[in-house]
Amino acid sequence: MGRRLYRLGRRQTSVDLTTSSILAAARELVAQGPASQASVGAVARRAGVSRITVYNRFGSREGVLTALAATAQPASVRTDAPTTAAQVVDGPDYRSKSGAEGPRSEGDPLEALRGHLAAACSRWAADAALFRHLPPPPEDGRARPLAEQLAAQDVLRPGCSLREAEDVIATLSSFAVFDRLYHDGRRPASAVAEVLMRLAAGILA
């Protein structure tokens, strides 16, 4: 039994090293230009593995890029253990009518919005150069429950629909908007979050 566990441990270590090598190769390719250069074949050649190995680990080129983006995600935007009012928006216990996950409790909707924007900025700032070359990630589904929270507490301006609020929140949380304001770090991520909060005032009462 001990020998078998030892072999399994060595195999897992090998799998982890291979995965790390593939992601490192993809990062190097993306850093050199558009993500379109990071084909499965190109990644495999740079990592010193076969194309089949890349497919087995990640399923597709898109899977590689998704995993690569996740490596740049700082702890402050992970959803496993929110501890403050600014992080509560990322909690898993609230579910909107649309089925998307959202904040654990309603609390202060403005603080929830501020926390969401700050978390987005923290994520993008973790590796702006990488995200600049990656395809835009899909929306994470958090804009809708935030819009519902704002509406439920009458914080939206009169005439602002849930859809408008959702679209504005999603847009302000996007990398494209962040990058335009970030200026390669000349404006700190925290300052960008404050600018985004002021822009969000357009949907607030």
Side-chain angles (χ1 to χ4, degrees), residues 87-146:
Q87 293 170 308
V88 74
V89 67
D90 293 327
D93 296 339
Y94 170 82
R95 189 169 292 275
S96 71
K97 295 177 182 179
S98 63
E101 291 183 351
R104 290 185 171 191
S105 61
E106 291 194 353
D108 183 341
L110 296 182
E111 282 303 306
L113 177 59
R114 185 184 302 276
H116 175 72
L117 295 175
C121 290
S122 179
R123 180 190 183 192
W124 303 136
D127 200 335
L130 171 65
F131 286 116
R132 201 168 288 129
H133 291 296
L134 290 175
E139 293 181 15
D140 58 14
R142 296 175 189 167
R144 181 69 181 191
L146 264 174

Side-chain angles (χ1 to χ4, degrees), residues 23-34:
L23 290 176
R27 178 181 289 275
E28 290 172 3
L29 288 169
V30 170
Q32 294 173 4

Side-chain angles (χ1 to χ4, degrees), residues 26-173:
R27 178 181 289 275
E28 290 172 3
L29 288 169
V30 170
Q32 294 173 4
S36 58
Q37 296 181 6
S39 65
V40 170
V43 170
R45 285 191 297 274
R46 184 170 289 251
V49 300
S50 68
R51 289 163 54 95
I52 295 299
T53 298
V54 177
Y55 282 118
N56 285 341
R57 295 289 188 278
F58 299 97
S60 63
R61 171 180 169 276
E62 289 70 25
V64 174
L65 296 179
T66 298
L68 184 58
T71 65
Q73 180 172 316
S76 60
V77 298
R78 298 189 189 279
T79 60
D80 50 348
T83 57
T84 68
Q87 293 170 308
V88 74
V89 67
D90 293 327
D93 296 339
Y94 170 82
R95 189 169 292 275
S96 71
K97 295 177 182 179
S98 63
E101 291 183 351
R104 290 185 171 191
S105 61
E106 291 194 353
D108 183 341
L110 296 182
E111 282 303 306
L113 177 59
R114 185 184 302 276
H116 175 72
L117 295 175
C121 290
S122 179
R123 180 190 183 192
W124 303 136
D127 200 335
L130 171 65
F131 286 116
R132 201 168 288 129
H133 291 296
L134 290 175
E139 293 181 15
D140 58 14
R142 296 175 189 167
R144 181 69 181 191
L146 264 174
E148 290 177 351
Q149 183 180 354
L150 293 168
Q153 298 198 29
D154 295 323
V155 182
L156 292 180
R157 64 168 171 74
C160 180
S161 66
L162 276 176
R163 182 56 185 271
E164 179 183 349
E166 178 185 1
D167 289 345
V168 169
I169 293 169
T171 300
L172 293 179
S173 306

